[in-house]
Amino acid sequence: MGVETEALRWFQLVADGLTVTEVAETYAVSQPGVSRALARLEEDVGTPLLRRSGRVLRLTQAGATFKRHVDAFVNNLDDGLAAVEQLLDPGSGLVTLGFPLSLGTWFVPGLIRDFGRIRPQVRFALQRTAVGEPGAPSRLLLTREVELELTTARISHPDIEWRRVAVEPLLLCVPLDHPVADADAVELAAVAAEPFIMRRRPSGMREQVVDLCNAAGFSPVVAYEVDDLPTVRGFVGAGLGVAVVPALGRDVPVVLGPVRFLPLLDPGAQRDIGLACLTERRLLPAADSFRRFVVGGGANLTSASSV
């Protein structure tokens, strides 16, 4: 069997939704060349892997089965190539890192900056993880698209090692004219009668806020559900409710535009920041160095409390 590695990569891209034309443009080759390579791949495998549906190609049942093995093979091949590259130049390398949007505004940039002071030649390929079920690993980590994932909740999964690296306070966000806006700190019970702005499900942040309110003796009345923290802040600033939000590295209490952030005195008003990796996957040198940096106290350089 004379399967071409390039054909496998093109098959991956087409299977993931790119058109043959887009693949050809990405690799600066002709469209007929890509089509011929995919046809040779099907001939080598011995069955159709793709079927046409309008302008795009869809996986056949055999193609879906084959792709899982292609993904594993190409990922292992790329790991091998990267390992050799890092062996030849130990100070360099690439770290593939996933993280949620809320950590991308403060925590991740600080870690990469400070890690770069000791390993300036290491590069990062960054991917934002999608919001999923609380406590579940991202698809990016499970499919090996990233080696490491920073999370804002503890992950429980048999194939994943998760280490807490920092603790981030949760704050009460209120409009500037709110009765508690001038307080140094506040308990959630002080806003029990207020409407709340909440993240839309699924959201670990939402679940934690509900749990904190219940522990304070009330069930929050959800006035609006939104998709991200900037929108939460905007709705609070417009006087449409109050919200519990992560500190995002802010010194508190602090005023930001039309809102004020106040420390919460309620027990458990914090969230874990952790680092996750697959237990079955041996990290490449650059990724392992970054993991040891973060777990060993690199998070001290952020505004969150390290553990």
Side-chain angles (χ1 to χ4, degrees):
M1 222 178 137
V3 176
E4 303 169 3
T5 302
E6 204 162 53
L8 293 176
R9 295 187 188 277
W10 295 346
F11 168 73
Q12 275 186 309
L13 294 174
V14 171
D16 288 336
L18 268 66
T19 65
V20 170
T21 300
E22 290 170 332
V23 173
E25 291 174 350
T26 300
Y27 278 82
V29 296
S30 69
Q31 181 178 334
V34 174
S35 297
R36 286 194 297 270
L38 294 176
R40 286 195 302 271
L41 180 61
E42 291 183 320
E43 183 178 343
D44 288 335
V45 175
T47 188
L49 303 173
L50 301 159
R51 57 177 176 80
R52 183 162 294 281
S53 176
R55 294 182 61 251
V56 298
L57 296 170
R58 305 288 186 192
L59 288 171
T60 63
Q61 184 176 358
T65 299
F66 185 60
K67 185 176 184 296
R68 291 195 295 270
H69 297 279
V70 170
D71 289 342
F73 168 78
V74 172
N75 286 333
N76 283 329
L77 176 62
D78 288 340
D79 282 353
L81 294 172
V84 171
E85 177 186 354
Q86 293 181 36
L87 181 65
L88 297 175
D89 185 4
S92 67
L94 177 71
V95 179
T96 55
L97 178 67
F99 55 89
L101 179 62
S102 63
L103 294 185
T105 61
W106 67 286
F107 194 73
V108 175
L111 285 180
I112 291 177
R113 175 200 61 208
D114 297 330
F115 180 71
R117 290 171 178 163
I118 59 175
R119 295 288 296 276
Q121 300 304 314
V122 171
R123 296 166 291 121
F124 284 82
L126 307 175
Q127 294 212 49
R128 174 184 167 187
T129 54
V131 176
E133 292 298 328
S138 72
R139 179 191 61 82
L140 292 175
L141 186 62
L142 290 176
T143 59
R144 300 164 62 97
E145 293 179 58
V146 297
E147 298 168 282
L148 298 168
E149 178 183 352
L150 286 163
T151 74
T152 54
R154 178 178 297 274
I155 291 179
S156 298
H157 191 282
D159 299 326
I160 289 176
E161 175 189 320
W162 183 90
R163 294 280 300 274
R164 184 174 65 179
V165 297
V167 175
E168 181 181 19
L170 299 181
L171 311 176
L172 181 67
C173 179
V174 298
L176 290 180
D177 60 356
H178 194 278
V180 304
D182 292 329
D184 293 328
V186 68
E187 293 182 343
L188 273 174
V191 293
E194 302 280 348
F196 274 71
I197 314 300
M198 290 278 198
R199 294 285 302 274
R200 199 183 314 277
R201 293 186 180 92
S203 167
M205 184 80 251
R206 180 195 179 107
E207 289 192 4
Q208 188 172 5
V209 172
V210 171
D211 289 343
L212 286 170
C213 291
N214 291 340
F218 69 97
S219 295
V221 176
V222 181
Y224 296 95
E225 298 177 318
V226 299
D227 291 318
D228 53 59
L229 292 174
T231 305
V232 170
R233 188 173 68 240
F235 273 59
V236 172
L240 298 173
V242 300
V244 176
V245 298
L248 302 183
R250 299 186 182 98
D251 294 325
V252 291
V254 68
V255 173
L256 183 62
V259 302
R260 185 175 178 85
F261 299 96
L262 302 170
L264 283 168
L265 299 174
D266 301 73
Q270 60 189 37
R271 68 175 183 175
D272 290 338
I273 297 175
L275 186 67
C277 62
L278 290 172
T279 54
E280 65 176 14
R281 182 180 189 180
R282 183 176 181 180
L283 294 175
L284 295 173
D288 188 54
S289 178
F290 182 69
R291 182 194 65 81
R292 286 185 281 107
F293 169 78
V294 176
V295 170
N300 285 338
L301 302 175
T302 72
S303 296
S305 301
S306 62
V307 295

